[in-house]
Amino acid sequence: MSPGTCWVRTSVALLLLCLPHLSACSGLPRMNVPRDPLTAEEHVALGTAYEAQGLKDLAAREFQAALEQRKDYPPALISLGNLSFDAGALAEAEDYYRRVLAADSSQPSANNNLAMVYLQRGERLGEAERLALTALEHGGPLKPYVLETLANIYFRQGRHREVKEALDEAEALAPSSNTILRARLIKTRQELTQH
């Protein structure tokens, strides 16, 4: 055995003996894994801001980051469901809304939005009505939106009197500044008068 080989073996043996004690040495650099500085709530707020600017990929990334911190965080799940719904990925949207409802079956946004998934597909309209009525019970400021959902469900079912009643109530509750909702209510009413 050459003297160099003996030195290498001795050095490796010493290193292995000292290895458990090396972490106590303050002169060695530590590997720090950066902690996410944002809370789940802050990720959702940032995602919502991105979404308002039309930056849907960045919004989705923020909503996912919120879920990494809080696995079943309803605002993140609903927001991801809404992005999926807008993209036409109805099965994915349904999955997100169902995750929310598994934790809280009375959650108004998830109930209304799942009803919208069924309405968009033109299926399970009885279930869509039940979901919308549950959302209506707990809706608060969502009430005019839920009434619009109900009006469209009733329209698909041919229940014209109920459509008119839901539209009347939705128009009475809809903020005058919400031109998008008001335009949709007017459109539904026009479709009703054409039938």
Side-chain angles (χ1 to χ4, degrees):
M1 182 180 307
S2 71
T5 305
C6 185
W7 181 85
V8 169
R9 284 188 179 169
T10 305
S11 297
V12 170
L14 284 172
L15 180 62
L16 290 174
L17 285 172
C18 295
L19 198 56
H21 306 288
L22 286 177
S23 64
C25 297
S26 61
L28 294 176
R30 292 179 182 228
M31 189 165 89
N32 288 326
V33 178
R35 188 182 75 74
D36 188 344
L38 300 180
T39 65
E41 294 83 359
E42 291 167 332
H43 278 296
V44 168
L46 183 56
T48 302
Y50 282 142
E51 186 179 6
Q53 296 173 37
L55 304 170
K56 296 188 187 262
D57 290 341
L58 291 175
R61 187 179 73 193
E62 293 302 322
F63 300 141
Q64 288 292 349
L67 291 179
E68 287 174 19
Q69 291 185 9
R70 293 176 60 186
K71 180 182 164 211
D72 290 318
Y73 186 49
L77 291 170
I78 290 170
S79 295
L80 285 165
N82 294 347
L83 287 174
S84 299
F85 184 89
D86 291 345
L90 299 180
E92 190 174 294
E94 180 179 358
D95 288 342
Y96 284 121
Y97 301 141
R98 284 193 177 284
R99 281 177 65 185
V100 174
L101 294 175
D104 178 4
S105 63
S106 67
Q107 209 291 335
S109 295
N111 272 291
N112 183 65
N113 295 359
L114 184 54
M116 289 294 297
V117 167
Y118 295 146
L119 181 62
Q120 185 71 24
R121 288 181 183 152
E123 66 183 26
R124 300 181 67 178
L125 295 180
E127 175 66 5
E129 180 182 3
R130 185 195 67 73
L131 290 164
L133 289 172
T134 299
L136 197 59
E137 289 174 25
H138 305 283
L142 291 178
K143 198 169 183 180
Y145 300 95
V146 178
L147 286 163
E148 184 217 2
T149 301
L150 271 172
N152 283 290
I153 292 168
Y154 294 150
F155 186 80
R156 283 270 180 96
Q157 293 173 327
R159 296 164 59 185
H160 299 299
R161 184 180 54 77
E162 287 99 332
V163 174
K164 184 181 177 325
E165 291 170 1
L167 287 174
D168 289 345
E169 191 174 352
E171 286 174 346
L173 294 172
S176 58
S177 61
N178 192 332
T179 56
I180 295 171
L181 176 58
R182 289 196 165 276
R184 290 194 324 235
L185 294 171
I186 290 169
K187 181 180 178 214
T188 303
R189 192 175 294 280
Q190 289 170 342
E191 290 172 359
L192 178 63
T193 59
Q194 293 171 359
H195 280 82

